[in-house]
Amino acid sequence: MGEMSVEQKKMLEKASRQDVNGWHHVKVVGTPYECGFQEGYLLADEYADAQRVYKYMTLQVYGMTYDWFCQQAVRLHKDKIPERYLDELQGMADGLSAAGVPQTVDDLIGWNAYYEVTGYWWPLNAAKVIGAMPNNVMVPRASHCSAIAATGSATKDGHPVLAHESFDDFWSGQYFNVCLDITPNEGNRIVMQTVPCYLDSMTDYYVTSAGLAITETTLAGFNGYDESGVPEYVRVREAAQFATTIDEFVEIIDKGNNGGYANAWLIADTNTGEIARYEQGLKFQALERKADGCFFGCNAVFDPRIRNLECKDNGFNDPRQQTGARRQRWMELIDQYSGAIDCELAKKMLADTYDVYVGYNNPSSRTICSHYDVDPQYWADDPNAVWNVPFYPAGSCDGKAAGYDDIRAMRMWGRYGRADGVEFDADAFFEQHPLWNWQKGYTKSRPSEPWTLFE
């Protein structure tokens, strides 16, 4: 680690980091370059460890190297990233380098594009690159999360509430523990859950100074990608930073839509009391909005055009599958709690482990707070389903929630680890399931942590 310049030290004086309950709460402020430098420097150790894990796991999961995917990302995306965000990536690279983790802008583009390139571009191009591949490798797997938006008579105070939890492989989800507060020199201030040195949230939970709260669940089995379009991590960052209404969010995120990381977006507007669900396919899109009631996300695709024409079978009506079971459970919970939903109740709903297929409380792949790692999956036999493997080390990685007062005050609640607070003991898991021992040293334990208010 070399000596920092006077200018670099001045940049860092405006930023801060606090570690609390498993989270890294980082605040950055200034120009795109300054914000990037501050984030890169303050999260250098976490970024370096994530690189160690992703480089090993990428080869194990895809059979191709992490560096190769980075090269594809630069080729596909670099000329489509606005100067503002290239400056921010340059700042990240310089901040990381100043902290002893040498990186380039190209390295950061590969990192930010990882999920889009591996999950959306690669399944459609693997056969072209290296010839025929087994069908199960060709199916996009990035389809997993639970979320709810409520407003009007559905909520306790009549105002919007937005809550979300991420599902992912534990080896990657263990890095979803950054709460980043960005005060840019233009556009909205943003508080978001994210990963070290990402332009966007990626796990997608945002609160903005425009009075918007934004989240999503991915469209299960989505199958489309336009190489000429703008990457999703650019479009959603632009939308979070500059949108002031639901309509503006939709307009911005649609501009140059490439089908990457296709989502059902849930948006809450505290200025109007409205909530919206925007399902964004590549060829088809569907916007629903209301000022009274709920929308939920469970990776099921509600628009029949997107569901049937742009997605593989995703278990929409199958209670054995994670999408169908959670779709039913969300409907039951909303019926049960409508009129009383607030931030605390939303947290309780995220933690729900009632399994509608077996008819009792049973933490599993089918529950709103998912526990793939303890699920033998006796009944799941769809080879196209998400993580349809017994005792898969994946599932709920966090919880986030915000009510009206939180959003207006630029606050959010976060829980690192499972949304229900149940710990994951990696050593015990590997001892019980030695088939997964190849992840030892890369998949870490996550203790039970409390809900934390970031303000």
Short mmCIF file of all heavy atoms in Angstrom, two decimals, residues 237 358 386:
data_model
loop_
_atom_site.label_atom_id
_atom_site.label_comp_id
_atom_site.label_asym_id
_atom_site.label_seq_id
_atom_site.Cartn_x
_atom_site.Cartn_y
_atom_site.Cartn_z
N ARG A 237 -29.17 1.79 -12.02
CA ARG A 237 -28.49 2.84 -11.27
C ARG A 237 -28.95 4.22 -11.76
O ARG A 237 -29.23 5.12 -10.96
CB ARG A 237 -26.99 2.70 -11.40
CG ARG A 237 -26.18 3.86 -10.86
CD ARG A 237 -26.39 4.13 -9.36
NE ARG A 237 -25.69 5.34 -8.97
CZ ARG A 237 -24.41 5.38 -8.63
NH1 ARG A 237 -23.69 4.26 -8.58
NH2 ARG A 237 -23.83 6.53 -8.30
N VAL A 358 -46.62 -29.16 2.06
CA VAL A 358 -46.79 -30.18 3.10
C VAL A 358 -47.83 -29.77 4.13
O VAL A 358 -48.33 -30.61 4.88
CB VAL A 358 -45.45 -30.49 3.79
CG1 VAL A 358 -44.45 -31.04 2.79
CG2 VAL A 358 -44.88 -29.28 4.51
N VAL A 386 -35.18 -23.99 -10.43
CA VAL A 386 -34.04 -23.30 -9.82
C VAL A 386 -33.50 -24.11 -8.65
O VAL A 386 -34.24 -24.44 -7.72
CB VAL A 386 -34.48 -21.91 -9.35
CG1 VAL A 386 -33.32 -21.19 -8.66
CG2 VAL A 386 -34.98 -21.09 -10.53
#
